[in-house]
Amino acid sequence: MVVFLNRVAIIGVGWYGFKPTTPEVSFREMVFEAASRAYKDAGDINPRTDVDSFISCQEDFWDGISISDEFAPDQIGGAMRPTMTVSGDTIQGLAHGIMHINSGVADVVTIEGHSKISDILTFPDLVKFAMDPIYLRTLNPPNFHFLAGIDAVKFMERKGVTREDLALVVEKNKRAGLKSVRSSYASNLSVDEILKYNEYVVYPLTRLDIASFVDGAITIVIASEEVAKRVKGDDYLIIRGVGYATDSANAETADIGKATYMRLASNMAYRMGKIDSPRKYFDAVFVDDRYSYKELQHLEALGISEEPVKDLREGNLHPQGEIPVNPLGGHLAKGVPLEASGFSLLLDAIDYINSGKGDRALVGSWRGIPTFTGSVVVVERP
């Protein structure tokens, strides 16, 4: 049985960007802006004296700098302080921060993730470089979305999903995104208008089924609950469970058509949180929807819905439904900020709880093509 030794709280959140391009700032300036806002939100703490360790979630390839983690500490206040890098999604970085606190290494930890994809001129080539050089790269597919196309077809056949169902997901999330200031890609498109756009990027996905990328930086400060009470009173959220897992290191041996990585990660988080019935427990779910079908596939893996298509058609997943899913738009409305994607969903969960719409939220993040890695976090009011 995996348990928390100590309750860990989210005490500060800051973000910058969520725009297709941010020519006004460098990636370091963008991260500085997010970190400054997070420290203000955390009770105006001083990172040089009040934060014990700093975690950056980034990839050298995304920043175009070898050993890019050496460029991370300055702008988050971590120069000459204990720092580490997680080459993965920010929820994975959050899990490492929790371990810092539970191991006694730190009482307060800062975690940052960012995307400056507008600076990357050859992003598809970088993704291709991450694929197996013998079995996948040599296929020379027209684009890297082909893996999602294969996965989508197999999932849709197994669960009876139609193109109309995918359009329902796109309509729901893009309209929900109109409520959030971070949604550069929100719109009021109808299902009919979405279906009229039938030029496939890769069958069965059109451009509207695929979330665009965005620039953005997010910083979150976590602390032991004892520290949280001291600096924030009762104005904080508790992390009840967290988990991350990889189904397979390559596509050839992965469970295509299923999000096994998400099932493994959520099982870990639910064991930590002692959650037996996730559908009944949560007030809202914030799950990776960078491809429209992925929202439904992830809901099945998270144990939220055995029949996600039925729930979608009956309106149970809408913002006013029985179990709201991505009620602030998800990636389809906000875009995908690379390694900060998990924190983007977590930001939505925090906003949802702080707005008084619920007390408990589930976040499920996927690292994207070509990985089979997912991470899950459970947040709630203390």
Side-chain angles (χ1 to χ4, degrees), residues 303-331:
I304 296 298
S305 174
E306 289 299 318
E307 297 297 337
V309 179
K310 181 173 180 291
D311 277 324
L312 176 70
R313 293 172 183 173
E314 293 178 352
N316 295 333
L317 311 181
H318 281 62
Q320 307 304 322
E322 175 199 340
I323 179 72
V325 176
N326 288 323
L328 295 178
H331 294 324

Side-chain angles (χ1 to χ4, degrees), residues 281-330:
Y281 189 83
F282 296 108
D283 297 313
V285 177
F286 301 83
V287 66
D288 191 296
D289 62 333
R290 68 184 68 197
Y291 298 103
S292 55
Y293 79 96
K294 273 292 182 184
E295 177 171 295
L296 303 175
Q297 190 186 62
H298 287 152
L299 289 177
E300 179 193 36
L302 289 165
I304 296 298
S305 174
E306 289 299 318
E307 297 297 337
V309 179
K310 181 173 180 291
D311 277 324
L312 176 70
R313 293 172 183 173
E314 293 178 352
N316 295 333
L317 311 181
H318 281 62
Q320 307 304 322
E322 175 199 340
I323 179 72
V325 176
N326 288 323
L328 295 178

Side-chain angles (χ1 to χ4, degrees), residues 110-312:
T110 294
I111 306 107
E112 79 86 16
H114 61 270
S115 161
K116 197 69 162 68
I117 193 166
S118 65
D119 282 353
I120 304 176
L121 301 179
T122 56
F123 182 74
D125 292 329
L126 290 177
V127 176
K128 187 178 178 181
F129 196 59
M131 296 181 180
D132 182 280
I134 297 175
Y135 297 108
L136 285 184
R137 222 182 294 168
T138 52
L139 294 176
N140 199 26
N143 57 63
F144 65 80
H145 300 292
F146 82 99
L147 274 177
I150 295 170
D151 190 46
V153 168
K154 194 164 183 181
F155 170 70
M156 292 169 72
E157 182 178 291
R158 181 169 63 82
K159 300 301 290 187
V161 183
T162 66
R163 276 285 308 142
E164 287 73 16
D165 296 321
L166 300 188
L168 276 172
V169 173
V170 175
E171 179 196 67
K172 174 177 74 67
N173 291 2
K174 284 187 174 290
R175 285 185 175 180
L178 293 170
K179 303 172 187 171
S180 172
V181 296
R182 290 189 294 274
S183 298
S184 290
Y185 300 101
S187 74
N188 202 27
L189 288 172
S190 69
V191 167
D192 289 340
E193 290 169 324
I194 293 165
L195 288 174
K196 283 180 182 175
Y197 192 90
N198 56 10
E199 185 177 335
Y200 294 112
V201 176
V202 59
Y203 182 82
L205 306 170
T206 72
R207 182 170 58 82
L208 294 177
D209 290 294
I210 303 173
S212 300
F213 289 95
V214 287
D215 288 356
I218 307 169
T219 300
I220 290 182
V221 184
I222 62 174
S224 64
E225 189 170 25
E226 180 182 354
V227 172
K229 288 180 178 176
R230 188 171 71 240
V231 300
K232 295 280 289 188
D234 60 356
D235 184 20
Y236 61 88
L237 298 181
I238 284 292
I239 301 169
R240 189 178 176 92
V242 67
Y244 58 90
T246 295
D247 167 17
S248 170
N250 53 64
E252 302 90 277
T253 56
D255 210 356
I256 300 294
K258 296 180 180 178
T260 302
Y261 53 87
M262 195 67 83
R263 179 175 57 78
L264 296 172
S266 60
N267 286 345
M268 186 185 301
Y270 295 159
R271 283 198 304 273
M272 283 186 182
K274 299 179 181 177
I275 298 166
D276 297 324
S277 303
R279 179 160 180 145
K280 294 179 180 177
Y281 189 83
F282 296 108
D283 297 313
V285 177
F286 301 83
V287 66
D288 191 296
D289 62 333
R290 68 184 68 197
Y291 298 103
S292 55
Y293 79 96
K294 273 292 182 184
E295 177 171 295
L296 303 175
Q297 190 186 62
H298 287 152
L299 289 177
E300 179 193 36
L302 289 165
I304 296 298
S305 174
E306 289 299 318
E307 297 297 337
V309 179
K310 181 173 180 291
D311 277 324
L312 176 70

